[in-house]
């Protein structure tokens, strides 16, 4: 029997009737239907504004906005150099063969289940990740002074580490390089830290402002946290030399500054996993403490699977154990426990020596293609006689190049040549191919000769 | 030289997980783990649904699939289908574009993102949660920046609902306060309001402008029917008012460790929903940038294919029925004594 309902009058609004009809239908299909009248209540919330009427529209993410604009462009020669993801010579996304192989193995293993992981994630994944970044023979690992927790890629690792620091560390300020990845300040601010910058990039040389860096870190309050890009600085591609790293290390240790490494490109920058981990290992070798946020988005091409790890290197094993217990209290109220799929792929690859070797080969191929694009772009600019020194293109390392172009020149290149990049002049070398280098070189040449 | 973290204290073990730790240590052949909040078969084993394995096969064998970053709000189709699942295919709120949905990390992640949004944008920073509630609720809301108060819920003398106390406490809450409601299958008590009681709760809350935040972790898993279990949520939405919904696929699709969920915010107007959606991105981006692709792709594959959807409903009902059967058997066994 259908429950009765009363409506205020036959001229009530159709939307109100629709809502009530929907309500009646839902109740009528329920096995627990009762014969209670459903009254149209004047206090049911029809009246009044949304309690979120005041919420303003958030600006579009600037980096993602580039791809939005690119997608709209109908030009056949358009080029997307904003994208921070690897592309093949054909301009396509790439899933590594070894990743597909690992995924098939997991899928075909009928004994696998989808139970909740522990709060800190897959134990084997965590151990292997620590070995990957610190080295298999790292004393810190041998001495049980490292705690590693599985997190959501680099961003998630940074956020969990920062929330831990905001809660447990005596210094609530983190120093980040100028410039840095656009999302860094918000990650740290939302975690409860305040953000200061240290000089890093020198636009006149398109290299490092090492003097400025040393001065700014030198004047930071003792104990401050310092964000360091482990390699392939994003967005500039400018990394300290080994000697400069050593000076940074000495300065930081003398002032008890706490290093927080963002390692998003291990193996992807130089093509060699150990070379790209050197800066971190140098710091760990001196026995001191540090945080490391590791991402597998780029070097394993696992972007959307959100695979990463936060490691905290401590002075003593019992401290590491207590730190781990407190990290759980950060993670549990954020997402309870991490996703199983991507980390299982990583663990599968890292623990099998054949698959590990296959991975290093595919990884080196990606890094080599990017290095080759740098060389080709540099040669093409020189061949056109583009004014200026373009050697920074081959000196910078990693996925991105800070071209040194200003926003007017960038705008010009988008308008006239359909080249899409972020307004700071950053281009993703991963988005280039041998076929498209000439078009980009033409565009840059035109931009610097016709726009200043 | 000391560690800079030398003064950190060891955090206590999570009480729920501690039960399993103790169980694992026990050598007895008769041991029984009744702490675990995950489905087990008649054989005591975890279960991966057949339809989930099927969907996963389709995905992994599709060589055209890639692993690129999802949008900040996740898979659009997953979001639409999730909203339809909880609100109903014909929901006016959906038809009128008044629902903002974001893919999040299961129920916990949806609660946390919703709570952080509220702490940033809502005028009332207090959330009322039932006494008792899931152990993690308090910390999720506190870490998000809200303060937590309780409303009476469980009556230990009747082992049922303290409905009078509930109405009094919600009635005494400041106008506009946020109220956490377990959509069905209240955790930990298993005590749910009746349909009539839900209607009274709805009227009381709307009259005081209290903002409902539903935690929907068991849709389909409680009664065996997806629509029945969604009723409380749908009655609130049907009155045209606003609410938050945290949806989890951990139990009803058995996707626990894949972390699949969605946060939906039902607004009074489409342009509000659109602005709310844009602000949700600013909560998510600094937390983990974008959500994981695998689990949500499995859920989406099932939801959008009518055969797989029907298969899912059957497997879901079987799980719910087995649990209902266990209740009956335990009751009978105790009565027999």
């Amino acid at each position: 029997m259908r429950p009765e309902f009363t409506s205020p009058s036959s001229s009530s609004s159709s939307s109100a009737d629709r809502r009530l009809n929907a309500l009646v239908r839902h109740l009528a299909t329920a096995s627990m239907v009762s014969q209670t009248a459903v009254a149209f209540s004047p206090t049911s919330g029809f009246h009044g504004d949304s309690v979120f009427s005041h919420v303003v529209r958030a600006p579009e993410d600037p980096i993602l906005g580039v791809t939005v604009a690119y997608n709209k462009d109908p030009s056949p020669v358009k080029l997307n150099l904003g994208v921070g993801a690897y592309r093949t010579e054909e301009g396509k996304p790439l899933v590594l063969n070894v990743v597909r192989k690992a995924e098939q193995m997991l899928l075909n293993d009928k004994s696998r289940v989808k139970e909740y992981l522990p709060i800190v994630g897959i134990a084997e994944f965590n151990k292997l990740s620590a070995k990957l970044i610190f080295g298999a023979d790292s004393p810190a690992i041998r001495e049980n002074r490292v705690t590693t927790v599985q997190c959501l890629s680099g961003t998630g690792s940074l956020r969990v580490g920062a929330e831990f620091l905001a809660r447990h560390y005596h210094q609530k300020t983190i120093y980040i390089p100028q410039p840095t990845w656009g999302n860094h300040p918000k990650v740290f601010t939302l975690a409860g830290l305040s953000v200061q910058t240290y000089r890093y990039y020198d636009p006149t040389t398109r290299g490092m402002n090492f003097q400025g860096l040393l001065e700014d870190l030198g004047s930071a309050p003792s104990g401050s946290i310092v964000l360091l890009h482990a390699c392939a600085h994003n967005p500039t591609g400018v990394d300290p030399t080994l000697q400069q790293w050593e000076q940074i290390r000495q300065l930081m240790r003398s002032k008890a500054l706490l290093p927080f490494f963002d390692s998003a490109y291990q193996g992807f920058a130089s093509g060699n996993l150990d070379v790209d981990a050197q800066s971190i290992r140098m710091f760990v070798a001196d026995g001191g403490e540090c945080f490391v946020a590791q991402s597998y988005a780029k070097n394993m091409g696992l972007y959307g699977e959100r695979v990463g790890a936060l490691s905290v290197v401590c002075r003593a094993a019992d401290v590491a154990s207590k730190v781990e217990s407190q990290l759980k209290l950060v993670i549990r109220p954020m997402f309870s426990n991490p996703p199983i799929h991507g980390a299982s792929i990583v663990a599968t690859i890292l623990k099998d020596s054949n698959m590990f070797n296959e991975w290093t080969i595919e990884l080196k191929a990606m890094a080599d293609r990017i290095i080759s694009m740098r060389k080709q772009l540099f040669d093409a600019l020189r061949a056109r006689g583009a004014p200026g020194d373009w050697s920074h293109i081959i000196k910078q390392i990693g996925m991105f190049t800070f071209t040194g172009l200003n926003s007017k020149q960038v705008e010009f290149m988008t308008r006239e040549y359909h080249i899409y990049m972020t307004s700071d002049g950053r281009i993703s070398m991963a988005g280039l191919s041998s076929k498209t280098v000439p078009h980009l070189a033409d565009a840059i040449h035109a931009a610097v000769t016709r726009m200043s | 030289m000391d560690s800079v973290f030398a003064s950190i204290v060891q955090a206590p073990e999570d009480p729920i997980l501690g039960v399993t730790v103790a169980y694992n240590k026990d050598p007895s052949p008769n041991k029984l783990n009744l702490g675990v909040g995950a489905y087990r078969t008649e054989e005591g084993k975890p279960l991966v649904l057949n339809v989930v394995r099927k969907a996963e096969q389709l995905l992994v064998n599709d060589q055209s699939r890639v692993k690129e970053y999802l949008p900040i709000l996740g898979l659009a189709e997953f979001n639409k289908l999730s909203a339809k699942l909880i609100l109903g295919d014909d929901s006016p709120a959906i038809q009128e574009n008044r629902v903002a949905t974001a893919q999040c990390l299961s129920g916990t992640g949806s609660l946390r993102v919703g709570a952080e949004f509220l702490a940033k944008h809502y005028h009332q920073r207090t959330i009322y949660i039932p006494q008792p509630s899931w152990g993690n609720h308090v910390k999720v809301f506190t870490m998000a920046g809200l303060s937590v108060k309780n409303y009476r819920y469980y009556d230990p003398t009747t082992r049922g609902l303290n409905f009078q106390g509930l109405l009094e406490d919600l009635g005494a809450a400041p106008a506009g306060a946020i109220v956490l409601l377990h959509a069905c299958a209240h955790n930990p008590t298993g005590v749910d309001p009746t349909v009539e009681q839900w209607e009274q709760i709805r009227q009381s809350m709307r009259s005081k402008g209290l903002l409902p935040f539903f935690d929907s972790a068991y849709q389909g898993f409680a009664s065996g029917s997806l629509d029945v279990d969604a009723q409380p949520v749908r009655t609130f939405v049907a009155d045209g008012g606003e609410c938050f919904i945290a949806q989890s696929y951990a139990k009803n699709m058995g996707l626990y460790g894949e972390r699949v969920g969605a946060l939906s915010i039902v607004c009074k107007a489409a342009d509000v929903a659109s602005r709310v959606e844009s602000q949700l991105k600013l909560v998510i981006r600094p937390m983990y940038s974008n959500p994981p692709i695998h689990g949500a792709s499995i859920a989406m594959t099932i939801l959008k294919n009518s055969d797989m959807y029907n298969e899912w409903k059957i497997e879901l009902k079987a799980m719910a029925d087995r649990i209902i059967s266990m209740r009956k058997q335990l009751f009978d066994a105790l009565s027999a004594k």
Side-chain angles (χ1 to χ4, degrees):
Chain A
M1 178 169 174
R2 289 187 78 207
E4 291 187 335
F5 69 96
T6 57
S7 70
S9 74
S10 56
S11 62
S12 62
S13 70
S14 61
S15 68
D17 280 348
R18 264 205 322 277
R19 291 183 188 114
L20 284 166
N21 284 331
L23 170 58
V24 166
R25 269 199 306 281
H26 290 311
L27 289 177
T29 56
S31 56
M32 304 190 284
V33 72
S34 72
Q35 300 188 6
T36 318
V38 178
F40 176 90
S41 159
T43 62
S44 64
F46 281 118
H47 312 290
D49 256 353
S50 164
V51 294
F52 301 112
S53 303
H54 62 286
V55 170
V56 294
R57 181 168 302 279
E60 186 70 59
D61 184 290
I63 298 176
L64 302 178
V66 171
T67 296
V68 170
Y70 166 85
N71 287 336
K72 290 197 176 126
D73 188 331
S75 164
V77 299
K78 65 180 180 177
L79 203 49
N80 189 351
L81 301 182
V83 66
Y86 182 79
R87 293 287 176 267
T88 61
E89 200 34 44
E90 295 69 40
K92 300 256 176 286
L94 178 67
V95 178
L96 301 186
N97 287 330
V98 73
V99 165
R100 288 214 190 273
K101 191 183 292 192
E103 212 174 28
Q104 280 287 349
M105 283 169 58
L106 293 169
L107 184 72
N108 293 332
D109 181 357
K110 297 302 182 205
S111 73
R112 284 184 62 78
V113 293
K114 293 190 182 300
E115 295 299 284
Y116 290 127
L117 291 182
I119 297 173
V120 297
I122 301 175
E124 195 175 27
F125 166 85
N126 291 335
K127 281 190 160 38
L128 291 165
S129 294
K131 282 180 140 188
L132 180 66
I133 190 67
F134 299 120
D137 54 355
S138 171
I141 295 179
R142 266 189 285 114
E143 292 157 21
N144 292 316
R145 295 190 287 109
V146 183
T147 172
T148 306
V149 296
Q150 181 190 335
C151 292
L152 283 101
S153 209
T155 310
S157 305
L158 290 166
R159 176 65 178 261
V160 168
E163 283 211 10
F164 174 91
L165 288 167
R167 219 198 247 192
H168 295 284
Y169 190 53
H170 61 93
Q171 262 283 5
K172 307 283 197 271
T173 304
I174 182 164
Y175 284 76
I176 68 179
Q178 180 74 17
T180 193
W181 179 46
N183 200 23
H184 273 141
K186 299 183 202 73
V187 171
F188 298 127
T189 316
L190 284 233
L193 298 176
S194 28
V195 174
Q196 300 270 3
T197 57
Y198 60 89
R199 279 169 287 171
Y200 189 83
Y201 178 69
D202 183 348
T204 53
T205 60
R206 278 172 257 186
M208 219 169 167
N209 179 358
F210 194 52
Q211 209 39 51
L213 181 153
L214 291 177
E215 278 171 31
D216 290 349
L217 293 191
S219 59
S222 170
S224 300
I225 312 155
V226 178
L227 179 77
L228 301 164
H229 294 223
C231 70
H233 180 271
N234 177 6
T236 68
V238 172
D239 283 350
T241 62
L242 276 180
Q243 293 81 354
Q244 289 172 327
W245 271 121
E246 174 57 17
Q247 278 185 264
I248 294 169
R249 184 196 67 76
Q250 284 184 21
L251 171 62
M252 285 183 61
R253 293 313 197 190
S254 75
K255 301 214 58 181
L257 302 178
L258 180 65
F260 197 152
F261 285 98
D262 185 349
S263 175
Y265 299 100
Q266 187 189 3
F268 201 89
S270 70
N272 182 300
L273 290 159
D274 294 315
V275 165
D276 291 345
Q278 262 181 264
S279 59
I280 292 175
R281 294 179 188 182
M282 200 185 291
F283 274 76
V284 174
D286 68 15
E289 303 182 310
C290 67
F291 278 53
V292 179
Q294 236 175 319
S295 168
Y296 289 95
K298 283 91 176 172
N299 62 8
M300 277 210 193
L302 289 174
Y303 305 94
E305 301 285 355
R306 316 312 290 128
V307 197
L310 170 73
S311 283
V312 182
V313 181
C314 308
R315 277 204 187 267
D318 68 302
V319 173
S321 170
K322 283 186 275 173
V323 165
E324 184 170 297
S325 74
Q326 290 290 349
L327 283 171
K328 290 185 196 177
L329 297 196
V330 171
I331 292 170
R332 177 78 160 136
M334 200 186 285
F335 51 86
S336 279
N337 42 76
I340 186 172
H341 192 69
S344 301
I345 293 174
V346 172
T348 302
I349 293 170
L350 293 181
K351 72 184 193 183
D352 179 299
S353 54
N354 288 330
M355 293 181 89
F356 186 95
N357 288 334
E358 281 187 55
W359 172 47
T360 59
I361 292 168
E362 290 192 79
L363 178 51
K364 187 165 191 308
M366 289 194 287
D368 285 349
R369 196 183 91 67
I370 286 173
I371 291 167
S372 155
M373 289 305 101
R374 291 183 177 279
K375 185 92 186 27
Q376 288 186 35
L377 180 59
F378 174 73
D379 290 344
L381 286 167
R382 273 218 307 205
R384 283 158 181 71
D389 175 7
W390 297 98
S391 63
H392 57 282
I393 291 179
I394 46 178
K395 284 191 213 152
Q396 289 167 6
I397 189 166
M399 197 182 282
F400 301 110
T401 290
F402 235 32
T403 54
L405 298 162
N406 63 41
S407 56
K408 278 212 190 62
Q409 291 165 327
V410 169
E411 219 180 350
F412 167 86
M413 286 171 62
T414 304
R415 217 175 42 244
E416 305 286 328
Y417 287 82
H418 308 277
I419 307 232
Y420 291 83
M421 67 180 87
T422 49
S423 58
D424 57 3
R426 182 192 84 163
I427 55 175
S428 167
M429 304 309 288
L432 275 176
S433 72
S434 315
K435 285 193 279 295
T436 54
V437 162
H439 180 61
L440 175 62
D442 289 341
I444 293 175
H445 181 67
V448 296
T449 49
R450 286 156 59 180
M451 309 269 324
S452 52
Chain B
M1 187 190 241
D2 245 359
S3 163
V4 295
F5 301 113
S7 61
I8 284 185
V9 295
Q10 183 83 19
E13 188 69 60
D14 183 293
I16 297 175
L17 303 178
V19 169
T20 297
V21 169
Y23 166 86
N24 288 335
K25 288 192 177 131
D26 188 332
S28 164
N30 299 321
K31 63 181 180 176
L32 201 51
N33 188 353
L34 302 181
V36 66
Y39 182 80
R40 291 287 176 268
T41 61
E42 204 30 51
E43 294 71 39
K45 300 260 178 285
L47 178 67
V48 179
L49 302 186
N50 287 330
V51 73
V52 166
R53 287 212 190 275
K54 192 184 289 192
E56 210 175 26
Q57 284 279 352
L58 289 173
L59 293 169
V60 174
N61 291 330
D62 181 355
Q63 298 294 317
S64 74
R65 282 183 62 79
V66 294
K67 294 190 181 299
E68 295 298 284
Y69 290 127
L70 291 185
I72 298 173
L73 299 176
L75 284 165
E77 195 172 18
F78 167 84
N79 290 339
K80 284 190 160 35
L81 292 166
S82 293
K84 283 182 143 191
L85 180 66
I86 187 67
L87 299 177
D89 282 333
D90 53 357
S91 171
I94 295 179
Q95 281 159 9
E96 291 158 21
N97 290 315
R98 296 189 287 109
V99 184
T101 306
Q103 178 192 336
C104 292
L105 279 96
S106 208
T108 309
S110 305
L111 290 166
R112 177 65 178 260
V113 169
E116 285 212 10
F117 174 92
L118 288 167
K120 199 193 214 189
H121 295 284
Y122 191 53
H123 61 91
Q124 263 282 0
R125 303 272 191 283
T126 305
I127 183 163
Y128 284 74
I129 72 177
Q131 179 76 18
S133 192
W134 179 46
N136 200 24
H137 273 141
V138 176
K139 297 182 203 73
V140 170
F141 298 128
T142 315
M143 297 281 281
L146 299 176
S147 21
V148 176
K149 291 192 131 78
N150 287 306
Y151 61 90
R152 279 169 286 169
Y153 190 83
Y154 180 68
D155 183 347
T157 52
T158 61
R159 277 170 261 183
L161 192 60
N162 178 358
F163 193 51
Q164 210 38 50
L166 181 154
L167 288 178
E168 278 173 30
D169 289 348
L170 291 192
I178 312 155
V179 178
L180 180 76
L181 301 164
H182 293 223
C184 69
H186 179 270
N187 178 4
T189 67
V191 171
D192 284 349
T194 62
V195 171
E196 294 82 0
Q197 288 173 327
W198 270 121
E199 174 58 16
Q200 279 186 261
I201 293 169
R202 183 193 67 78
Q203 286 188 20
S204 170
M205 285 183 60
R206 293 310 198 192
S207 71
K208 300 214 58 180
L210 301 179
L211 181 66
F213 198 150
F214 286 99
D215 186 347
S216 176
Y218 300 101
Q219 187 188 2
F221 203 89
S223 70
S225 159
L226 290 160
D227 292 319
V228 166
D229 291 345
Q231 259 179 251
V233 174
R234 294 178 186 181
T235 36
F236 273 77
V237 174
D239 69 16
E242 303 183 309
C243 67
F244 278 50
I245 304 161
Q247 237 175 319
S248 167
Y249 289 91
K251 285 93 180 168
N252 62 9
M253 274 204 193
L255 289 173
Y256 305 93
E258 300 285 355
R259 316 314 288 127
V260 195
L263 169 71
S264 282
I265 301 177
V266 181
C267 308
K268 287 246 173 104
D271 69 295
V272 173
S274 173
R275 281 179 273 136
V276 163
E277 187 175 283
S278 75
Q279 288 288 348
L280 281 174
K281 292 184 196 177
L282 297 196
V283 171
I284 293 169
R285 179 79 160 134
M287 200 185 284
Y288 49 85
S289 279
N290 42 75
I293 186 172
H294 190 70
S297 301
I298 292 173
M300 183 178 86
T301 302
I302 293 170
L303 292 175
K304 73 183 197 180
N305 176 302
S306 56
D307 287 340
M308 293 182 89
Y309 186 91
N310 287 333
E311 280 185 56
W312 172 46
K313 287 202 294 187
I314 292 168
E315 289 192 79
L316 178 52
K317 186 164 192 308
M319 289 195 286
D321 285 348
R322 195 182 92 68
I323 287 172
I324 291 168
S325 157
M326 289 305 102
R327 289 184 178 278
K328 184 93 185 28
Q329 289 187 37
L330 179 59
F331 175 75
D332 290 344
L334 290 167
S335 307
K337 288 190 172 351

